[in-house]
Each structure stands twice: as structure tokens, then as C-alpha cells.
Amino acid sequence: MFARARVARRLQRGRAASSSGDTATARDHYEAALRAARLGEAWLEAGQAASWLGNLARDAGDWADAEHHYRLAATQYKRAPRSARSLGARVQCLENLGDVLLLAGRPWDAYREFQEGAAAAGVDPARPAGDGAGFVTREDLRWVSHLATAAQAAGRRKLAAEHYETVLAGCEARGDVAGQIMCWKGLAALAEGMMAWNDVAHALHTASNLYPALPEPEAHTREWVQCLRDLGAVYKTLGRRDKQVRAFKLAMRLEQVDASARTDRDAGQRTNETMAHDEHRDD
């Protein structure tokens, strides 16, 4: 009990130091909390301290130190009494570890950590492709997306394509348009790596046609424009000049509409600021 109270104080001070940007002091508090928690067998608190140390290392770009602390944190969380809190913390820790390994250029190691994270979260990577749309959760799609990204980075194109198609089936079942766009872009990147230009064109064309179905398509205009420009470049490679010109014209039109909307918003904001200033002056 005493160890937990002391660790809690150290963690609180560490978080306060982190918030103020004093990383050196924060690291000292987290390291002290980790030592005390491990000696007192306060495994959940030990996991929290190690996770915070991992976050500091990740933010500093020290991938090796971040990996060490995230692995340590995952072990401590596994030792802690099983609860929603300890399980959720371990899942988050494994996700962070996979992200760090991707940043460190070790995608296949990241894939294995994402697999472990998915298993800990109770995710079945095959479930999004099932017939029962009711059983497809956001958690399923999120973890299978991680697996697809890691497999693609590792050069396992066939495996990545299988994961993307699984996620795509789940997104279609849920009506998740943003997820479908992400999948089609991922499939386009895979096809480009194999120089399968017809498949690239099909994937980008499908993705570009999905943007209007987003809840707020205007918020994704730049993304949409880039997709159309990429599609136009692929059509150029395929020698389909008519489709190339059509894609580039639509991209230009979207850019003009977006620029006009931004100008109107800026003018409206300046008008509001002027009116507010005049009212303040009159008062």
C-alpha cells in the first residue's frame, strides 16, 4: 500500500513535469516510480511508469530506448491482476511498440507486435470479412489496418493485400467511407510496387469516387485533389490521354473551388474581427 502511494506521487509529479516540458525531471520521476513499483510488486503502476518512459523516448526519437520501455511495460501489465484497465493499457502499449518498430525500420517485428496486440484486444483479423456485419467492430478494422501497413512496409505484398481486402470488406459492411478510401489507396500502393498499372488506376479511380460520400468532403479536398493527380499520372503511364486530362481537369476545378471557399472564409473572418473591434471601441 505504501509503495503504491509513493509510486502514485512520483507518477503525478512526472506527468506534471511532462506537461510543463521538463523532460529531464519527468524522466527522473518515472524512473524512481518504476524502481519503487517493481520492488513493491505494484505491476500496474510499474507498467504505467515504463509506458511514460517509452513515450518520452519516442518523442525524442530514441527508438531503441522506446522499444525497451514499451516491452518492459507490456511485461508489467501482463503480471498485473487482470482487469479492463490492465488489459487496455497492455493493448495500447503493444500498439505503441509496433508503431516505434515501424519508425525504426523493422516492419516485420512491428507486424508480430501488432499480432500480439490484436490477440490481446480480442480481435480476429479474419472477422471483418465475415458475413455478419454486426460483429465487425472499429477495433477489428483498426488492428487489421495496422497489420496491413506493417506487412506492406515489410514487402509482404500478398499478405498486405489480404489484410487490406479484409478491412475493405469490413468498412463496406459498416458503411465506413474513410476506411474504404484508406484501403483502396493501400491497394494502389501495393499494385504500384508491382507495376500493375491497370490495378493502380482501378484502385485510385474507386478511391476518388468515394470522396463525395464522406460526411464533410470539403474538409478532404486537398487529399482528393492529390488522389486525382496520382490517378492522372497513372493514366499517362497507361497512355490513356482522355482519362488523364479528365482527372487533371477535375483536380484543378476542385482546387479552384477550395481556394475560393478559403478566400470567402478569410474575408468573413476579417469582417467579423472588424465588427468586433468597432463594437469594442464604441463601448
Side-chain angles (χ1 to χ4, degrees):
M1 190 68 181
F2 174 72
R4 281 193 167 85
R6 185 168 59 180
V7 171
R9 285 195 299 272
R10 284 287 193 176
L11 287 173
Q12 187 175 13
R13 291 169 186 166
R15 286 192 289 269
S18 293
S19 298
S20 65
D22 188 352
T23 55
T25 300
R27 188 176 293 106
D28 289 342
H29 284 304
Y30 293 140
E31 286 173 349
L34 179 59
R35 286 193 298 270
R38 295 179 77 181
L39 284 171
E41 297 186 356
W43 306 123
L44 180 62
E45 290 79 3
Q48 290 173 334
S51 290
W52 277 102
L53 286 166
N55 292 345
L56 290 178
R58 178 196 59 197
D59 294 344
D62 188 343
W63 313 133
D65 194 43
E67 178 189 356
H68 166 71
H69 283 104
Y70 283 139
R71 286 192 187 281
L72 180 59
T75 301
Q76 307 311 304
Y77 286 134
K78 199 170 184 179
R79 290 177 177 175
R82 188 176 176 84
S83 66
R85 188 179 178 191
S86 62
L87 180 60
R90 181 166 175 260
V91 168
Q92 181 62 57
C93 188
L94 289 168
E95 186 173 18
N96 289 339
L97 176 56
D99 288 339
V100 163
L101 290 170
L102 275 177
L103 290 168
R106 293 163 56 193
W108 195 241
D109 289 336
Y111 184 88
R112 287 194 287 266
E113 297 304 331
F114 286 140
Q115 276 187 314
E116 188 175 348
V123 168
D124 176 3
R127 185 160 53 211
D131 295 331
F135 294 98
V136 180
T137 66
R138 288 190 180 278
E139 196 74 355
D140 290 324
L141 299 178
R142 189 164 68 87
W143 281 98
V144 181
S145 296
H146 284 323
L147 291 170
T149 301
Q152 182 175 356
R156 307 294 181 95
R157 294 192 180 99
K158 184 178 178 182
L159 180 61
E162 288 172 0
H163 284 313
Y164 275 127
E165 285 165 3
T166 299
V167 178
L168 181 59
C171 289
E172 288 172 346
R174 287 183 61 91
D176 184 345
V177 177
Q180 291 176 58
I181 291 172
M182 184 269 302
C183 291
W184 282 113
K185 284 185 171 181
L187 289 167
L190 288 173
E192 185 176 356
M194 294 183 285
M195 300 181 72
W197 301 114
N198 283 315
D199 290 340
V200 178
H202 170 69
L204 290 176
H205 176 72
T206 306
S208 67
N209 284 341
L210 285 166
Y211 277 98
L214 286 169
E216 295 181 0
E218 62 279 358
H220 303 271
T221 301
R222 292 184 178 181
E223 226 180 90
W224 189 2
V225 166
Q226 187 57 54
C227 183
L228 287 165
R229 290 193 176 281
D230 292 342
L231 177 59
V234 173
Y235 281 143
K236 182 178 180 181
T237 300
L238 289 169
R240 298 179 184 174
R241 179 165 175 74
D242 55 335
K243 291 188 175 183
Q244 173 198 345
V245 170
R246 194 154 53 240
F248 282 145
K249 279 185 175 179
L250 179 54
M252 288 175 64
R253 191 153 60 245
L254 284 169
E255 282 182 319
Q256 289 168 355
V257 170
D258 183 53
S260 177
R262 287 176 187 276
T263 300
D264 291 344
R265 282 198 299 271
D266 291 343
Q269 185 177 357
R270 284 194 297 271
T271 300
N272 292 336
E273 288 173 355
T274 302
M275 290 173 65
H277 176 71
D278 290 344
E279 287 175 6
H280 179 72
R281 186 176 57 189
D282 291 343
D283 293 342

